Amino acid sequence: MSRFAGKVAIVTGSSSGIGQAIAVRLGSEGAAVVVDFLNHPDAAAETKAKIEAAGGKAITLHADVGKLEDVQNLVEQAWTQFGGCDILVNNAGVEKNAPFWEASEADYDLVMNTNLKGAFFLTQRFVQKLMEAKKPGRVVNISSVHEDMVFPNFASYCAAKGGMRMLMRDLAMELGPYGITVNNVAPGAISTPINAKLLNNPTQLKALLNNIPLGRMGTSDEVASLVAFLASDEAAYVTGSTYVMDGGLMRNYKEQ
Ligand code: BGC
């Protein structure tokens, strides 16, 4: 299936986890992909190799999504190297675990800059270029169930993801008239490096799984399938919504 033939996509944080699966999915379905990474060029090269093995095209680029010039460069490179940019997946994300009263300014800045400021200004540049070229586009943000659900000890993460929810709703309204759709995917517990500590702690893992009606964690490939749908022409009439993929976690309630 070549749902993305002739399309160009930027996927932030695509050197690992959910971002890598999304980049590979879009690339293997025909998109030319800008694989963005912060710290791990080797892992980004692995994403690129997987895309190429599936017959697709990719470049790797370093960017700290919290920095304006870096996100602007991602969009410029997509246009110079691939001739445009139709799909933006704001995936790069970090979380910091601390009781609220101990959270540091440095951790707060890292979480907000990566998860929210990055999505804000990268989307801004992505949209400016589409408007100049009078072209439609797709924005898919990788949010979290925690755009809506509490997560004690992760207040900055919840604030960033809650902000991403309202950013998406607002932009869907502002950008709809330009043919640009904006949606969020809200994964629950997915096995990725962000969850490494949890995955290595059997007691914590058992407690988490006990909250998930489907009884297991999700996979990055499952998240990538939903993102690919939202990024495709099939989702032309979808904008302003969050799509939850969490095995039922958000709807869970137990008396004991
Ligand atoms: C977080 C994970 C957490 C999951 C479910 C995700 O957004 O990154 O650490 O396990 O939500 O609570």
Side-chain angles (χ1 to χ4, degrees):
M1 209 179 9
S2 276
R3 278 190 288 187
F4 304 111
K7 304 273 194 223
V8 179
I10 295 174
V11 184
T12 64
S14 47
S15 54
S16 75
I18 293 174
Q20 183 175 68
I22 295 167
V24 172
R25 174 65 60 94
L26 299 181
S28 61
E29 290 195 35
V33 185
V34 176
V35 174
D36 153 71
F37 68 95
L38 177 62
N39 292 320
H40 301 289
D42 295 356
E46 185 191 301
T47 308
K48 181 174 185 273
K50 284 185 178 176
I51 293 171
E52 287 168 350
K57 272 196 288 191
I59 54 168
T60 61
L61 273 183
H62 169 266
D64 176 345
V65 296
K67 296 209 174 104
L68 212 59
E69 63 269 31
D70 284 17
V71 293
Q72 289 177 344
N73 185 49
L74 283 177
V75 180
E76 296 316 319
Q77 292 299 322
W79 280 79
T80 6
Q81 303 205 34
F82 291 135
C85 191
D86 313 277
I87 299 162
L88 169 62
V89 183
N90 286 306
N91 165 79
V94 287
E95 62 187 34
K96 288 287 174 182
N97 182 347
F100 171 68
W101 50 93
E102 285 172 13
S104 71
E105 185 185 7
D107 282 355
Y108 174 93
D109 285 343
L110 177 70
V111 170
M112 294 306 262
N113 288 346
T114 309
N115 298 8
L116 189 57
K117 182 184 172 190
F120 189 106
F121 286 105
L122 179 52
T123 305
Q124 184 184 65
R125 191 68 195 123
F126 172 74
V127 162
Q128 286 167 347
K129 295 285 276 187
L130 287 176
M131 283 175 159
E132 276 166 34
K134 299 198 175 3
K135 287 181 84 183
R138 295 265 186 279
V139 179
V140 184
N141 299 319
I142 307 308
S143 169
S144 165
V145 289
H146 301 298
E147 70 164 46
D148 205 34
M149 191 172 97
V150 298
F151 197 10
N153 301 313
F154 291 86
S156 58
Y157 186 71
C158 288
K161 297 297 188 181
M164 192 176 235
R165 180 178 67 174
M166 282 312 298
L167 178 65
M168 172 277 292
R169 291 178 180 181
D170 213 73
L171 298 191
M173 185 84 215
E174 284 196 55
L175 303 176
Y178 298 91
I180 300 169
T181 66
V182 191
N183 292 288
N184 282 9
V185 167
I190 310 295
S191 327
T192 73
I194 211 173
N195 278 315
K197 261 199 207 145
L198 172 94
L199 292 166
N200 292 321
N201 179 331
T203 319
Q204 223 189 330
L205 183 59
K206 191 160 171 268
L208 171 70
L209 293 183
N210 194 34
N211 283 321
I212 301 177
L214 290 182
R216 66 168 175 91
M217 293 184 73
T219 68
S220 296
D221 284 339
E222 287 173 316
V223 179
S225 302
L226 184 51
V227 174
F229 165 70
L230 290 169
S232 76
D233 290 345
E234 294 163 284
Y237 200 55
V238 180
T239 197
S241 290
T242 292
Y243 293 80
V244 175
M245 183 179 268
D246 70 346
L249 175 66
M250 275 180 96
R251 297 289 169 256
N252 182 40
Y253 173 74
K254 286 186 186 133
E255 294 257 325
Q256 49 184 328

